[in-house]
Structure formats: C-alpha cells, structure tokens
Amino acid sequence: MFVSFRRIHKCRCVQLLTTGLFLYAMIVYWEELDHHIVSHIKAYTHRYLINSYEFLNSSFTIASNHDHMKGGSHSLVGRIWNYSYLINHPGKCGEDGKFRENVLLLLFVKSSPENFEQRQVIRDTWGNESFIWSELGASVKVVFALGIHPDVRRRYRVQLALLQEDQTFGDLIQQNFLDTFHNLTAKLVLQFHWVHDYCPQARFFMSADDDIFVHLPNLVKYLRQLVRSKSGAKNLWVGHVHRGSPPVRQKHSKYHVPYDLYPWPSYPDYTAGAGYVLSSDVAAKIYHATLVLNPSIYIDDVFMGICAKTMGVSPQEHVYFSGEAKAPYHPCIYDHMITSHGHATDMSSLWEAATDPTVYSSYRGYIGNLYCKAVRAMLLCLPHYQNTYSCLAAFV
Ligand SMILES: *[C@@H]1O[C@H](CO)[C@@H](O)[C@H](O)[C@H]1NC(C)=O
Ligand SMILES: *[C@@H]1O[C@H](CO)[C@@H](O)[C@H](O)[C@H]1NC(C)=O
Ligand SMILES: *[C@@H]1O[C@H](CO)[C@@H](O)[C@H](O)[C@H]1NC(C)=O
Ligand SMILES: *[C@@H]1O[C@H](CO)[C@@H](O)[C@H](O)[C@H]1NC(C)=O
C-alpha cells in the first residue's frame, strides 16, 4: 500500500515536471511562433486581397529627381549612387568601335573580394566562356561584381591580389564601396548600371551568387527556346519567386528591416537573389527604376522587387531555379536543373557529372522517362531534412 502510494507520487512528479517544461517552452517560444504565423497571415492577406503596392511609387521615388527624370535627361540629375570603378572592362561585351558582339547572356556573379577560390571554381566549371562557346555555340559573358574589402587593415593586400587576379582573367568589375551585407543593394545597382553602359545588347541578363551552380547547357537551351517562342525574349523575369513575404521584424535577424524603413506587412513579389534571369527590356526598366528610387532597402532582392513593381514587371516561377535549395545529386535531376544553391568544393564533380554527354542516355525513352519521374518524385516529394526543389518539379 505504502509502496504503491510512493509510485503514484513519483508518476505525478514526472507528469508535473513535463507539463511544466512544456508550458515553459511554450511561453519562451510562443512569441516567436506567434510572430511568425501572424506576420505570414497578415502578409498574405495584404498581398492577395488588400493592396496592389501602389504606395511603392510615391514612397520610394525621390521627388526632386523625379521631375528632372520626366524631362528625360538622366545626366542632369546624375545617379543616386555613382561609385567610381576601381576595376572595369568596358570592352567585355565586344563594344569595340562599331563592332557589337551578339551576346546571348551576360552573367553577373555577386562575389566578395576575398572569395578567390569560389571565383576560380566558377571559371573552371560553369563559368568557362570558351567551353560554352565551343560546345554550345553561345556567347555568354561571365563577370564578377565586387566592392572593396571592408577591413581597412587587410584592404591593401587583398586589393593587390585582386589586381593580379584581374590581370590573368580580366573578368572583375569593382566599385569603390565597402563590400558588406548591408551594401548588397549597391552591388545590385552596379550590375544594372554596368549592363546599361557597357552591354545593353545582351539578350538576357543573369545575376547569381558565387556559391551557386548554374547548369549552363540547360540554361542556354531554355533561353534559346524563349527566343524562338511566339512571345519572344521579352518581358521576362524568371527565378524562384517569393510571394507575399513579410518583412522580418526580429532585431537579431540578419534580414531585420525596421518599420521606419518599410512599414507595410508584405514585400512585393521577388525572385530569390541566388540566381534569376531577365530579358534585356526588363533589365533596362530596372536600370531606370534605380535612377529614381531610394535604395534604402538593403536586402538586394527585395529592392529588385520594388524596382520591378514600380515598373509594372512581375516575376515568373521556374521550378528548377532554386532559392536556398540544393539539388539532389541524381542523373534524373541533371536533365532539368538550372540553378542549385550552396556549393563549394563539390562544384567540379557536379559540373562533370551533370554535363557528361552519356549521363542521360540510359534514361531515355518511355521507360526511362517513367523511371525518372518516379525517382524525382521520391527525391523531391518525400519530406527531407535538406531543402531541395519543390515537389512540383518532379512532374514537369
Ligand atoms: C508606378 O509608376 C509607373 C510609371 O509612372 C507605372 O507604370 C506603374 O504602374 C506604377 N506602379 C504602381 C504600382 O502604381
Ligand atoms: C558618374 O561619375 C563620373 C565621375 O565620377 C561622371 O563622369 C559620370 O558622368 C557620372 N555619371 C552619371 C550618370 O552621373
Ligand atoms: C574551358 O573550356 C575550354 C574548351 O572546352 C578548355 O580547353 C579549357 O581547358 C577550359 N578551361 C578551364 C579553366 O577549365
Ligand atoms: C557602403 O559603402 C559605402 C562606401 O564605401 C560606405 O560609406 C558605407 O558605410 C557602406 N555601408 C555599409 C552598411 O557597409
């Protein structure tokens, strides 16, 4: 009798303790959870029901410049940011006197001064212009966008190394701003200004992080299909689209945006900055938007979304452009993938595997197709710890 009483007592204790712990966890995390859920609901409501983001035009346009702009003379007002070039290659796109090369794609890789290795891996793999020219017959130009090293003590040495690197490869574009996370919008503006000034004839423009893999043969194929299609290579902005994203209000987050910078509950749609493609007409529109909009939002892909919205351009989703996602390593994926995020040393092996001409041959035909659909469904639709392409991508 006594023993069983004690046992009950012990059980109670454990029960009480777990309940207590659970409640404690709820109290500690509820605020975060609540914030997350509520901000998403608000953002979606805002995005889909209430607002068409008309406020962006009036809130972000820099008024005094606007009147000048209407006069059509950009040089009068200058640019909001006009950092000088420290390294530049005005002739990269073949702008040499009268000759203008027929460029299919200008690809800007957002790099940082000290990321020497990442740039080298890209040059050796998907960024090899002569490979793309000889194997695919496509003129693709790959350049790297950089600022200056933020640490004054290391800047000089890093800069010397950059100059040397550029002597060898001739593909760095550097402007005189600090290369920091909060200056990413300056890097975005650099890209659009460079395209406008030195490579306006490129039919497509791509912006990419330096830790992504781009399956250039698939991308070139896709772009050529677009050029041949009825609608043509116009009005295109394609990537992994974020729709109705709420601004992050938690102060400790890297992406924190305070209310006074952006008071509304959701951002206009934008493509993940990891990698997206524009047609030249859209790139020109974004350039014009950067001349009149206040670049105070330091998240570059959000600022891009604001520029696009005010110019009346909407992004399109492509299931094989990854956001943060990393593609599964499988031949049934290689046939379709365009970009994959989060690569470093594995870039070379992926490039070799994904561009091996024999890689698809055993997956052709009716049976091969069916098999690949099943494999893709397994790889993409089952729950995974790793973030990959969405399940929809299994069925294209
Ligand atoms: C912003 O202004 C541009 C040009 O004045 C216009 O084409 C566009 O529709 C406007 N955008 C919004 C969201 O009102
Ligand atoms: C940018 O600055 C350079 C000199 O620093 C000047 O020559 C150029 O005209 C400026 N461009 C614009 C569009 O303001
Ligand atoms: C780039 O491709 C060309 C042509 O296929 C090849 O000869 C060259 O070795 C490649 N360069 C690098 C750095 O891999
Ligand atoms: C961006 O670069 C400019 C020019 O170098 C610098 O003055 C500014 O402090 C930088 N901003 C940030 C947030 O790093």
Side-chain angles (χ1 to χ4, degrees):
M1 181 71 206
F2 185 66
V3 174
S4 75
F5 177 74
R6 278 189 57 175
R7 191 177 292 152
I8 289 169
H9 204 76
K10 211 170 158 188
C11 275
R12 272 270 163 85
C13 264
V14 172
Q15 215 175 22
L16 267 175
L17 207 71
T18 29
T19 315
L21 271 175
F22 178 73
L23 281 177
Y24 177 72
M26 282 293 281
I27 290 165
V28 170
Y29 291 111
W30 178 250
E31 206 176 350
E32 198 121 313
L33 201 69
D34 183 47
H35 186 97
H36 205 67
I37 294 169
V38 171
S39 65
H40 273 90
I41 292 173
K42 268 201 217 153
Y44 269 76
T45 320
H46 190 246
R47 154 77 173 73
Y48 287 101
L49 299 176
I50 299 174
N51 208 299
S52 53
Y53 299 92
E54 267 144 15
F55 54 84
L56 289 175
N57 268 7
S58 52
S59 308
F60 281 89
T61 304
I62 295 172
S64 60
N65 281 358
H66 198 67
D67 297 331
H68 289 285
M69 300 306 305
K70 287 244 162 89
S73 175
H74 298 165
S75 53
L76 268 182
V77 288
R79 293 166 174 182
I80 295 160
W81 279 338
N82 189 11
Y83 293 115
S84 56
Y85 286 103
L86 299 177
I87 305 177
N88 194 9
H89 297 280
K92 179 77 186 175
C93 281
E95 175 77 354
D96 186 12
K98 271 175 279 167
F99 173 70
R100 271 196 169 186
E101 202 178 320
N102 199 354
V103 177
L104 178 71
L105 173 69
L106 171 70
L107 206 159
F108 250 111
V109 181
K110 295 174 274 182
S111 192
S112 290
E114 69 277 27
N115 292 0
F116 297 103
E117 274 171 38
Q118 266 121 302
R119 289 193 289 276
Q120 200 47 44
V121 167
I122 289 173
R123 290 184 190 111
D124 291 343
T125 57
W126 55 265
N128 182 349
E129 290 173 358
S130 43
F131 173 87
I132 302 159
W133 178 247
S134 64
E135 297 297 311
L136 310 168
S139 170
V140 174
K141 304 291 172 187
V142 181
V143 287
F144 297 91
L146 319 155
I148 56 175
H149 200 286
D151 183 348
V152 193
R153 287 159 301 171
R154 296 193 49 210
R155 189 176 302 155
Y156 182 69
R157 288 177 120 230
V158 171
Q159 194 61 26
L160 282 184
L162 282 176
L163 287 169
Q164 203 156 46
E165 181 186 348
D166 189 60
Q167 281 235 311
T168 314
F169 301 106
D171 55 6
L172 302 185
I173 308 292
Q174 187 191 35
Q175 273 185 348
N176 190 15
F177 59 82
L178 298 188
D179 199 305
T180 59
F181 177 76
H182 286 92
N183 259 344
L184 273 175
T185 298
K187 205 175 278 180
L188 180 90
V189 170
L190 178 163
Q191 297 170 58
F192 283 100
H193 288 201
W194 199 88
V195 175
H196 174 266
D197 289 348
Y198 305 118
C199 202
Q201 78 274 26
R203 299 196 81 149
F204 296 97
F205 162 78
M206 179 170 190
S207 179
D209 282 347
D210 65 0
D211 60 346
I212 78 162
F213 175 84
V214 182
H215 197 302
L216 259 163
N218 287 353
L219 178 60
V220 165
K221 200 166 109 189
Y222 170 65
L223 296 181
R224 283 184 167 154
Q225 273 166 8
L226 285 175
V227 170
R228 279 196 305 266
S229 72
K230 256 219 189 88
S231 50
K234 281 240 168 327
N235 204 23
L236 178 85
W237 174 23
V238 67
H240 177 81
V241 181
H242 290 289
R243 286 182 212 283
S245 296
V248 175
R249 304 298 190 192
Q250 286 98 328
K251 290 226 168 61
H252 54 82
S253 167
K254 187 177 167 188
Y255 298 101
H256 169 243
V257 168
Y259 283 95
D260 51 359
L261 209 52
Y262 194 92
W264 306 282
S266 69
Y267 292 134
D269 299 353
Y270 64 92
T271 52
Y276 54 85
V277 174
L278 312 176
S279 53
S280 60
D281 58 322
V282 174
K285 285 181 185 172
I286 303 297
Y287 165 78
H288 288 288
T290 67
L291 295 177
V292 294
L293 294 184
N294 181 351
S296 53
I297 290 277
Y298 38 73
I299 303 171
D300 58 337
D301 32 12
V302 170
F303 182 66
M304 168 80 190
I306 293 172
C307 289
K309 192 74 200 180
T310 59
M311 300 307 283
V313 179
S314 307
Q316 283 169 40
E317 175 78 13
H318 187 303
V319 284
Y320 280 103
F321 276 74
S322 72
E324 293 302 303
K326 191 168 189 171
Y329 291 92
H330 197 282
C332 290
I333 298 287
Y334 300 157
D335 212 357
H336 297 271
M337 68 185 294
I338 307 269
T339 70
S340 171
H341 191 249
H343 295 272
T345 49
D346 55 347
M347 200 100 89
S348 308
S349 51
L350 180 56
W351 174 246
E352 262 169 45
T355 54
D356 181 350
T358 65
V359 69
Y360 315 124
S361 53
S362 39
Y363 301 98
R364 291 280 183 235
Y366 183 70
I367 300 291
N369 248 324
L370 216 60
Y371 169 79
C372 267
K373 274 218 164 73
V375 169
R376 285 203 298 272
M378 294 263 292
L379 288 172
L380 305 178
C381 297
L382 298 179
H384 281 278
Y385 294 110
Q386 205 190 15
N387 187 5
T388 68
Y389 299 121
S390 86
C391 178
L392 284 176
F395 303 101
V396 292

